Amino acid sequence: MSTEAPAPLETLREDWERLLCVVAHPDDLEFGAAAAVARWTGQGKQVVYCMVTSGEAGIDAMPPEECRPVREAEQVESARVVGVDTVDFLGLPDGVLEHGVPLRRAIAEAVRRHRPEVVLTGNFRDTWGGANLNQADHIAVGRAVLDAVRDAGNRWVFTEQLVEGGGSLEKWGGVGEVWAFGSPQATHAVDTTATFDAGVASLEAHRAYIDGLGWEHFDPREFLEGMARATGQRLGCAFAAPFEVFPMGWGE
């Protein structure tokens, strides 16, 4: 077993104004990225949330048609806690997302509509860095985000979304980077010491979901502190959020 200390992390750049967060489910962002979002909205940056599904298959004891409005309401409140007032729900089916053209089309439309400079998604590696496998929806969405960001800048892809194809949008090739939070291959991080409490409150807003998981004695603060403290040690601060960075330009 290696005893080498983890490599230091680079500070994530903050020379941008518009961020679009695209994840599979309500609650995904709150398991690691919400404190960073609170930092950025506190700086006056524009942050928009986009949920590919409504998480309607996420509570075993609640049928999807009952679960959907509960989880959407919890996500809207969770976003409000960290200063986000726009939450889009794309309405794709929870639990059975597939990487492919329909998913790319839906995400590309969101990118073209909101015109972000950076797109944030969740970890889409096969694991979280150990033996525990990642969830299929997370993997599908993260991979599709990378493709959809490029699709959004190509006027000949999903042309029906664009003005010249009968839609209402313009192409958008202004995304410089995609960031995946929680990735085991993270190389960057952002200091969340001052906004950590807001991140905890944002996760706590998903009370029905947390209760539905049946995790006895689950403590949102304790859970988030584990990753935040370890990441902070690698960045040189108390708490931090880790990100894998994917440049979307050519030759980088």
Side-chain angles (χ1 to χ4, degrees):
M1 181 180 295
S2 174
T3 59
E4 293 183 10
L9 295 168
E10 297 181 41
T11 300
L12 204 62
R13 69 180 185 89
E14 295 183 317
D15 58 341
W16 50 271
E17 294 300 325
R18 298 186 309 281
L19 174 72
L20 175 64
C21 301
V22 182
V23 292
H25 317 106
D27 82 81
D28 284 353
L29 288 164
E30 288 68 48
F31 277 95
V37 170
R39 172 188 172 97
W40 296 323
T41 58
Q43 295 171 348
K45 300 183 187 300
Q46 176 187 313
V47 180
V48 170
Y49 281 5
C50 177
M51 306 290 126
V52 174
T53 81
S54 295
E56 68 275 8
I59 300 178
D60 183 69
M62 189 178 293
E65 62 274 15
E66 296 179 17
C67 187
R68 181 178 291 105
V70 171
R71 299 214 62 199
E72 288 184 355
E74 287 191 337
Q75 183 58 68
V76 169
E77 173 58 18
S78 180
R80 184 198 64 78
V81 169
V82 292
V84 175
D85 57 12
T86 299
V87 182
D88 290 349
F89 297 94
L90 301 187
L92 276 68
D94 184 17
V96 292
L97 295 177
E98 294 181 301
H99 178 270
V101 171
L103 183 56
R104 286 168 49 192
R105 178 183 288 111
I107 297 172
E109 194 276 339
V111 172
R112 286 168 166 171
R113 180 155 34 90
H114 294 292
R115 305 173 74 81
E117 297 162 75
V118 178
V119 174
L120 185 154
T121 191
N123 170 37
F124 54 90
R125 299 298 182 180
D126 288 341
T127 74
W128 297 95
N132 290 334
L133 294 175
N134 200 350
Q135 198 262 357
D137 283 357
H138 300 158
I139 295 171
V141 168
R143 291 176 177 171
V145 164
L146 295 179
D147 293 331
V149 163
R150 290 176 293 217
D151 295 335
N154 188 335
R155 72 172 65 255
W156 306 117
V157 176
F158 309 135
T159 56
E160 74 283 355
Q161 298 174 356
L162 305 179
V163 171
E164 54 265 42
S168 60
L169 302 174
E170 302 287 345
K171 70 169 187 168
W172 178 247
V175 178
E177 293 178 338
V178 171
W179 299 341
F181 72 87
S183 169
Q185 298 184 37
T187 54
H188 292 67
V190 61
D191 186 344
T192 57
T193 306
T195 53
F196 180 75
D197 287 349
V200 173
S202 190
L203 178 54
E204 289 174 338
H206 291 277
R207 179 47 55 190
Y209 176 67
I210 292 172
D211 290 347
L213 289 174
W215 293 350
E216 190 175 3
H217 309 307
F218 176 74
D219 184 333
R221 178 175 296 276
E222 181 180 9
F223 177 88
L224 292 174
E225 189 171 309
M227 180 173 68
R229 191 177 297 280
T231 306
Q233 290 175 347
R234 297 175 64 189
L235 188 66
C237 58
F239 296 136
F243 296 86
E244 185 173 2
V245 174
F246 298 87
M248 299 308 294
W250 294 100
E252 298 186 56

